């Protein structure tokens, strides 16, 4: 057969293509490690994959003024915080007016923050708090200007 004759790791290989060379190298490594086809098939069919570590925290937003709640739960705001912090943010719970408690098994409105590490969670919480303060300041300025 026509092919490329080469030496790899002290062994002569004859490859028709890069794929052929890769297969020959893999077979050589498997033979050295006593790794048979049955073991390879087993590993492919039943891979052992541990889920990535996940850290969770939450920020309650139920009691914030309506404008602040709308702002930080908007698609744009959530997307910006997710991109900035590398965390997943999910709005959960139900809004309950002041002085009303949720029924058993229910929760007031909050944002669940899930991330790969504590630092990412901290960044997300800091950005959410900054946005909340910004909205509260806007609301305060508006009410000051339109005062009596």
């Amino acid at each position: 057969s026509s092919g490329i004759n080469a030496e790899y790791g002290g062994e002569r290989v004859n490859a028709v293509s890069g794929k052929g060379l890769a297969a020959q190298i893999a077979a050589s490594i498997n033979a050295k490690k006593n790794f048979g086809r049955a073991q390879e098939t087993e590993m492919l069919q039943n891979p052992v994959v541990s889920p990535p570590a996940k850290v969770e925290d939450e920020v309650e937003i139920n009691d914030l003024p309506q404008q602040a709640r709308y702002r930080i739960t908007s698609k744009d705001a959530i997307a910006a915080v997710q991109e900035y912090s590398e965390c997943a943010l999910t709005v959960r719970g139900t809004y309950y007016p002041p002085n009303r408690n949720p029924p058993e098994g229910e929760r007031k409105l909050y944002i669940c923050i899930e991330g790969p590490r504590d630092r990412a969670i901290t960044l997300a919480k800091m950005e959410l708090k900054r946005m909340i303060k910004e909205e509260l300041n806007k609301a305060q300025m508006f009410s000051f200007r339109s005062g009596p």
Side-chain angles (χ1 to χ4, degrees):
S1 80
S2 67
I4 302 168
N5 289 317
E7 194 167 306
Y8 182 82
E11 294 180 25
R12 299 235 357 114
V13 291
N14 184 3
V16 176
S17 67
K19 185 176 178 183
L21 178 59
Q24 288 177 12
I25 294 170
S28 172
I29 292 170
N30 289 342
K32 287 179 184 173
K33 299 227 179 229
N34 198 19
F35 187 70
R37 188 58 126 177
Q39 290 168 307
E40 182 179 359
T41 303
E42 171 67 22
M43 286 181 69
L44 290 173
Q45 289 175 347
N46 301 310
V48 178
V49 179
S50 56
K54 191 169 57 171
V55 183
E56 276 188 40
D57 205 345
E58 54 192 53
V59 174
E60 190 166 304
I61 59 171
N62 190 81
D63 299 333
L64 294 174
Q66 182 178 13
Q67 188 61 33
R69 281 195 318 273
Y70 282 168
R71 165 80 170 97
I72 65 170
T73 59
S74 72
K75 281 184 180 181
D76 292 340
I78 295 286
V81 175
Q82 287 180 152
E83 186 175 326
Y84 174 72
S85 66
E86 299 179 358
C87 288
L89 275 65
T90 311
V91 179
R92 294 187 179 161
T94 306
Y95 173 73
Y96 290 93
N99 303 321
R100 262 197 66 211
N101 290 323
E104 189 157 336
E106 297 290 318
R107 294 213 29 213
K108 287 185 173 186
L109 199 60
Y110 68 100
I111 296 178
C112 178
I113 307 168
E114 297 174 291
R117 52 194 174 278
D118 288 331
R119 176 73 178 134
I121 299 288
T122 302
L123 282 173
K125 286 178 76 171
M126 285 173 39
E127 185 61 11
L128 283 171
K129 287 178 182 178
R130 184 196 66 75
M131 293 167 101
I132 291 168
K133 283 182 184 176
E134 190 177 283
E135 286 304 312
L136 293 176
N137 285 339
K138 282 183 190 176
Q140 189 175 22
M141 289 299 287
F142 182 74
S143 67
F144 179 72
R145 285 186 189 155
S146 60

